[in-house]
Amino acid sequence: MENGHARNRVAVIGSGNWGSVASRLIASNTAKLPSFHDEVRMWVFEEILPTGKKLSESINQANENCKYLPGIKLGANVIADPDLENAVKDANMLVFVTPHQFVEGICKKLVDKLRPGAEAISLIKGMEVKMEGPCMISKLITSILGINCCVLMGANIANEIAVEKFSEATVGYKKDKEVATRWAKLFTTPYFLVSIVEDIEGVELCGTLKNVVAIAAGLVDGLDMGNNTKGSTECYSLKMSSRTVSAD
Ligand SMILES: NC(=O)c1ccc[n+]([C@@H]2O[C@H](COP(=O)([O-])OP(=O)(O)OC[C@H]3O[C@@H](n4cnc5c(N)ncnc54)[C@H](O)[C@@H]3O)[C@@H](O)[C@H]2O)c1
């Protein structure tokens, strides 16, 4: 697409805390890079706010996600869309950023609804645990939709990136370096440094399992048990999580 005639079009599937920040990052780039269409469609799981207003309408009116990212403008080229099919229909670059437990249902709704040649990237930390064992989210997306799926992971706290504090992340890809480079270009800003590595599984597992370790470390800190216990807990939590656990 980038070397062809049409410009790349991006849809973000998810509009929570990280989805809103990812849309903001992406929109700052699509607004200035000629290889991308300006508009970023952000699919919103519709919610009714305490005011009675729909979340998607509120986002489009205020250019702000008052529930999941209050106080931060998303960029005028971010359009909230509560209609999943409509949000993705023109996009050739799909960014998945919902909590992991919703991915399977969302993908099933998108079967045969995507633009030919669409590519995906998952920003989701977690695994789907099936009877046969754990299934990585990128694999789940590829198996249901039959499309290539890269991953983007890092030690990323959405609220810090929203206020442009420096952070870095890694795109994991399989074989197609040109596609990974295009994803990196879409996300990279002066305060968000993105590199690429030809290892989807390694990047996705590190992104997911680090959260399990973080929970264990937090428990040890809370109980004031010291660094030796923290070290052993981290090893133990990695061993356990590599067997079954799903994480957010
Ligand atoms: N928040 C972060 O700092 C951060 C950083 C890196 C990665 N992540 C990852 O990003 C993913 C999304 O996390 P988040 O923090 O944006 O989530 P969040 O908790 O802020 O938002 C939850 C989202 O899920 C939506 N939702 C609720 N019910 C739903 C349903 N039935 N179907 C579909 N959507 C539904 C909500 O509307 C909301 O948009 C997770 O996998 C998380 O691990 C988050």
Side-chain angles (χ1 to χ4, degrees):
M1 191 68 51
E2 190 171 23
N3 300 320
H5 303 295
R7 286 182 293 166
N8 296 288
R9 268 187 180 266
V10 185
V12 177
I13 302 168
S15 56
N17 190 227
W18 191 211
S20 300
V21 175
S23 298
R24 182 177 188 271
L25 272 175
I26 291 168
S28 71
N29 281 329
T30 58
K32 58 181 184 229
L33 297 173
S35 53
F36 297 95
H37 196 282
D38 288 10
E39 185 183 286
V40 176
R41 284 261 147 189
M42 180 174 78
W43 173 65
V44 174
F45 176 76
E46 193 65 285
E47 296 179 49
I48 305 298
L49 299 170
T51 56
K53 201 182 245 186
K54 289 180 175 168
L55 177 60
S56 60
E57 286 173 8
S58 156
I59 294 173
N60 286 334
Q61 277 161 18
N63 191 232
E64 198 178 306
N65 188 335
C66 66
K67 178 157 182 188
Y68 294 101
L69 190 65
I72 304 283
K73 295 289 173 202
L74 298 176
N77 50 335
V78 175
I79 308 295
D81 190 340
D83 181 334
L84 181 63
E85 273 184 44
N86 191 57
V88 304
K89 74 176 178 1
D90 297 323
N92 67 309
M93 297 180 79
L94 306 171
V95 179
F96 283 84
V97 57
T98 61
H100 75 277
Q101 62 271 32
F102 305 128
V103 174
E104 188 164 6
I106 289 169
C107 286
K108 284 181 176 162
K109 286 187 191 140
L110 292 178
V111 172
D112 296 331
K113 302 286 192 297
L114 300 180
R115 220 175 108 170
E119 292 275 342
I121 194 164
S122 168
L123 276 52
I124 297 164
K125 289 172 179 161
M127 289 180 197
E128 188 66 35
V129 182
K130 305 251 178 215
M131 290 303 283
E132 316 83 79
C135 173
M136 316 263 267
I137 299 300
S138 61
K139 285 234 161 54
L140 190 68
I141 293 169
T142 295
S143 68
I144 300 176
L145 293 171
I147 59 175
N148 186 37
C149 185
C150 292
V151 296
L152 180 141
M153 303 279 148
N156 302 140
I157 295 171
N159 286 338
E160 291 189 6
I161 299 162
V163 293
E164 307 192 359
K165 289 190 176 166
F166 182 79
S167 186
E168 62 82 36
T170 305
V171 169
Y173 71 98
K174 191 175 178 177
K175 289 190 191 142
D176 198 338
K177 193 171 179 183
E178 185 274 327
V179 169
T181 306
R182 193 178 348 130
W183 283 118
K185 199 168 160 184
L186 183 68
F187 282 94
T188 300
T189 68
Y191 60 90
F192 195 64
L193 181 68
V194 181
S195 45
I196 63 169
V197 171
E198 192 176 0
D199 179 7
I200 294 184
E201 290 82 2
V203 173
E204 192 168 3
L205 270 176
C206 287
T208 293
L209 297 183
K210 82 159 180 56
N211 284 5
V212 179
V213 174
I215 291 168
L219 290 172
V220 173
D221 277 348
L223 294 168
D224 202 17
M225 291 170 82
N227 288 331
N228 289 336
T229 308
K230 197 190 279 183
S232 13
T233 312
E234 285 169 10
C235 293
Y236 187 70
S237 61
L238 266 182
K239 271 191 226 155
M240 293 304 289
S241 56
S242 63
R243 286 191 209 151
T244 51
V245 178
S246 87
D248 249 343

